[in-house]
Structure formats: structure tokens, C-alpha cells
Amino acid sequence: QVSLVESGGGLVQAGDSLRLSCAASGLTSTNYVMGWFRQPPGKEREFVAGITSGGTSNYGDSVTDRFTISRNNAKNAVYLQIDSLKPDDTAVYYCAADPRGTTRIRVYRHWGQGTQVTVSL
């Protein structure tokens, strides 16, 4: 059974940086694509970034270069670095994984519970 556990969220001030982590277990191979999504309050969940086991990454249309996704295959972990945080970044951030292994997908099979990021002025 695949389990994804996010950490690193919290209350931060505008301009701060934050690094979200996601620890995965139960993956049957290293070929899973792993990604991050977010859901701002009152809005739909949106794709933030995805990364393959080989390190190929892509980002959602609404995401700027303030976001960087990375991955450690040995630790079955994926990270999301967010710099120069803005109040509009306030959202629940979800980690996701999918065995199809490509960043072209936007529907992932496995999901974490999410971690709240709140950015204050």
C-alpha cells in the first residue's frame, strides 16, 4: 500500500522561503512520477509540479520560477522549495505519486493528506 506523508508546512510571512517534503513508502518501483498539487481556500486543486525518477520536471501554468521541485530516489522523497512566498500561495499542498512515470499526466493515483501553508503579510 502506497503511503505519502507531507511535512514542512506552517504559518510563514510574505517573502519567506519554505521547503515541503514528502516521504513515500510502498512504491513498487522507482519509476513513479511524483508531484505536488495545491488547493487554495475556496478554489479547485491545481497542479504545481511533477518530477520523474530521472529528474525530468515540469510545472503548472500558474506556477512561477519561485517554485522548485526535487527528488531523492534513494529516500523515496520529493521536495518543493518555494521562495519569496506570497499570500496567494496560501493553500493545502498535496504530494502525489503515479506509476505511469511521466510528468505529462495531471491525474495521479496516490495522494497524501496534505500540509497547510499559510502566508501572512
Side-chain angles (χ1 to χ4, degrees):
Q1 183 175 355
V2 175
S3 174
L4 303 172
V5 179
E6 303 96 337
S7 61
L11 175 62
V12 297
Q13 292 188 328
D16 287 351
S17 295
L18 201 63
R19 188 191 194 212
L20 304 180
S21 300
C22 173
S25 61
L27 301 180
T28 56
S29 76
T30 60
N31 290 331
Y32 281 68
V33 61
M34 299 187 75
W36 289 95
F37 290 73
R38 68 179 181 180
Q39 186 166 18
K43 297 183 179 180
E44 295 185 351
R45 188 161 57 188
E46 62 179 359
F47 174 74
V48 176
I51 187 167
T52 67
S53 60
T56 300
S57 61
N58 72 354
Y59 295 84
D61 293 338
S62 64
V63 173
T64 70
D65 57 5
R66 296 184 294 111
F67 292 73
T68 305
I69 190 171
S70 61
R71 177 172 178 162
N72 185 325
N73 291 330
K75 295 184 177 181
N76 278 339
V78 64
Y79 310 97
L80 184 69
Q81 176 75 28
I82 314 173
D83 298 320
S84 302
L85 279 153
K86 301 178 180 181
D88 285 348
D89 295 322
T90 295
V92 178
Y93 285 74
Y94 295 92
C95 175
D98 194 281
R100 287 173 288 176
T102 172
T103 57
R104 293 191 297 269
I105 62 173
R106 293 294 182 267
V107 179
Y108 282 54
R109 181 176 297 178
H110 305 290
W111 293 87
Q113 293 298 309
T115 185
Q116 176 71 48
V117 173
T118 303
V119 184
S120 64
L121 287 171

